[in-house]
Amino acid sequence: MIPLQDARSYVLDRVDRLGAVSVALTDAAGLVLSDPVVAHELVPPFANTAMDGFAVVAADTADAPVTLEVTGTVAAGAAATRPLKPGQAMRIMTGAPMPEGADAVVMVERTCYDPENSRVDVEVAVGEGNHVRGAGEDVKPGDELFAPGTVLGAGHLGVLASVGLSAVRVHRRPVVGVLSTGDELVDDPRPLQPGEIRDSNRRTLLTMLDESGMEPVDLGIARDNEADIAEAFTGGAARCDAILSSGGVSMGAFDYVKVVLDSLGDMRWMQIAIKPAKPFAFGLIGTTPVFGLPGNPVSSMVSYELLARPALRRMAGHECIDRPVRRAVSEEPFGRHDDGKTHFARVTGGPDETGRWHIRKLSGQGSHQLTAMARADALAIIPDGTEIAAGDEVEIIPVGTVVE
Ligand code: AMP
Ligand code: MG
């Protein structure tokens, strides 16, 4: 058995960031910038008011209260048709451009408007620039807005929209094929025949890819014979940036995935010192990374989390490829025997009001018992030989939907 860190390094040493492409802002959320984004426009594009009120010449208000002549109204989206002269004011709405000659805004709450006589009483003196948002206060042409490596979120995309960009250069989203292998697998709702089981791995892996921001491709089921498996991998490698297969990588007589991948690519077969997810294969068909995940449903998910997800995130250009590891208080003992492996136990729990996580072990810890994995809020990392007593601290990897 090899340590998890060795398996991880082996994989990460053999994957590269995908090349840069131009992507419409509508498709760019979660992608990683490949090039700096430079602005070519001012934001705001013109000086405008931050408040509903009256545009004035600040000096006119020095002896407030004062009465000014109201010469018009400027709404957002319009431009003032005439300049403002001393002694005058214009009604102005939030976001509307400042009329020429005006240099301050008095908020409506500090005025008394007399529309009949086109007059306004200004109750307070305001300084130059009061409630005025200057042109370019947020962004100026030539500003580098975001550096390569930035993961595009809602705020970033809003900024890009604010400077009139409709596309952006990012690392390509990895297209990842998912293949199930096994003669026993059924993927339609018909009653099961003796020996058959339903294919669950494809659904979980396609969904995990989606949640990781990848573009999943369903490569279907390959049966336990060399021709079927070879065709599925060759076809998948031609259309995908990476392939995840599940099953056929352990010691069984019909585990042809090993045989086929050895003939198609440069593969390494590993027994990793972890439980679940001990068997694992990684290699390249041409330049396409192939992750041979174990068939047991929990194992394939844990293997994805620990080995495939970080590598695929690296391909997508992410600098941060791992989920954060946190410390948690175990509410109950975790018995375990020495087996040379690090255990990843499925646990439930979450943070208390101070933010400290508390966890309990879920029942059904077998690698075939997918329900506990589905219900898990985290994987607890239990090192070899360590008995955990109630109240002890353990490291956990949150994997569920609990939000802190
Ligand atoms: P294998 O590594 O092919 O021997 O598979 C290990 C275990 O996982 C066996 O019990 C398989 O039936 C099961 N298994 C393999 N592939 C899947 C799948 N796609 N969905 C659910 N169980 C699977
Ligand atoms: Mg099998």
Side-chain angles (χ1 to χ4, degrees), residues 279-300:
F280 174 69
F282 178 80
L284 301 172
I285 298 179
T287 56
T288 307
V290 177
F291 299 83
L293 309 181
N296 277 307
V298 178
S299 308
S300 70

Side-chain angles (χ1 to χ4, degrees), residues 167-200:
V168 63
R169 300 275 297 167
V170 291
H171 293 287
R172 205 154 54 69
R173 190 190 296 280
V175 175
V176 186
V178 177
L179 178 68
S180 288
T181 67
D183 280 345
E184 73 277 37
L185 301 178
V186 170
D187 74 343
D188 58 47
R190 71 179 161 82
L192 296 175
Q193 300 302 309
E196 290 182 339
I197 61 163
R198 305 201 187 275
D199 176 2
S200 60

Side-chain angles (χ1 to χ4, degrees), residues 116-183:
E116 306 272 291
N117 298 301
S118 300
R119 304 247 163 256
V120 63
D121 294 333
V122 173
E123 296 165 4
V124 287
V126 295
E128 208 180 307
N130 191 59
H131 297 320
V132 178
R133 306 189 283 209
E137 258 182 21
D138 193 16
V139 176
K140 293 188 181 50
D143 283 356
E144 181 177 318
L145 296 175
F146 305 119
T150 303
V151 182
L152 293 171
H156 304 103
L157 293 173
V159 170
L160 301 188
S162 80
V163 295
L165 291 172
S166 55
V168 63
R169 300 275 297 167
V170 291
H171 293 287
R172 205 154 54 69
R173 190 190 296 280
V175 175
V176 186
V178 177
L179 178 68
S180 288
T181 67
D183 280 345

Side-chain angles (χ1 to χ4, degrees), residues 181-222:
T181 67
D183 280 345
E184 73 277 37
L185 301 178
V186 170
D187 74 343
D188 58 47
R190 71 179 161 82
L192 296 175
Q193 300 302 309
E196 290 182 339
I197 61 163
R198 305 201 187 275
D199 176 2
S200 60
N201 290 352
R202 224 156 16 115
R203 183 52 40 219
T204 51
L205 291 169
L206 288 165
T207 308
M208 289 175 106
L209 286 168
D210 199 39
E211 289 174 354
S212 307
M214 309 296 149
E215 191 176 321
V217 171
D218 187 349
L219 299 178
I221 299 173

